[in-house]
Amino acid sequence: MSCGGFGNSKEVTADEQAILDTVKGDVETHLGKKLSVFRALGFKTQVVAGVNYIFKVQHDDGIVHVKVAKPLPHTNQPPFLMGVDAAQHSEDSEIVPF
């Protein structure tokens, strides 16, 4: 990982899926539809004043990349959506910053 950059792709645990789940409603709003499938396939992190995540997410109609910020614990702020890359992605596509 380069200083300030995103690290290598990692396997998802229940902790990361829980972070992603906190922004599901915002992703649904962005995509304009309710999602019954919303599963992280992988992710990368960037340590800043908190942690930025880019998730590769399988949903009802395909795969998107979702950027989420998790503020430092002392702020008592929940994770929030930073953006959605709704371009066509595959399970094999690389997770890249956007």
Side-chain angles (χ1 to χ4, degrees):
M1 171 170 60
S2 62
C3 184
F6 281 87
N8 295 325
S9 294
K10 301 176 188 175
E11 290 189 26
V12 178
T13 69
D15 291 337
E16 288 83 28
Q17 183 65 51
I19 292 167
L20 179 63
D21 288 343
T22 65
V23 300
K24 180 180 179 186
D26 294 326
V27 174
E28 289 173 330
T29 298
H30 182 87
L31 296 175
K33 59 183 148 191
K34 289 285 187 188
L35 303 173
S36 61
V37 176
F38 193 70
R39 183 174 65 96
L41 301 175
F43 71 99
K44 288 185 175 185
T45 59
Q46 175 188 38
V47 177
V48 290
V51 180
N52 292 335
Y53 293 82
I54 298 178
F55 291 98
K56 181 187 299 186
V57 180
Q58 180 179 18
H59 66 89
D60 300 7
D61 300 323
I63 295 174
V64 295
H65 291 176
V66 175
K67 187 187 280 187
V68 177
K70 181 180 175 192
L72 291 170
H74 77 276
T75 66
N76 294 319
Q77 297 297 312
F80 60 91
L81 181 67
M82 295 178 70
V84 177
D85 177 2
Q88 293 295 321
H89 295 284
S90 70
E91 287 191 40
D92 297 328
S93 63
E94 183 179 349
I95 300 170
V96 294
F98 62 94

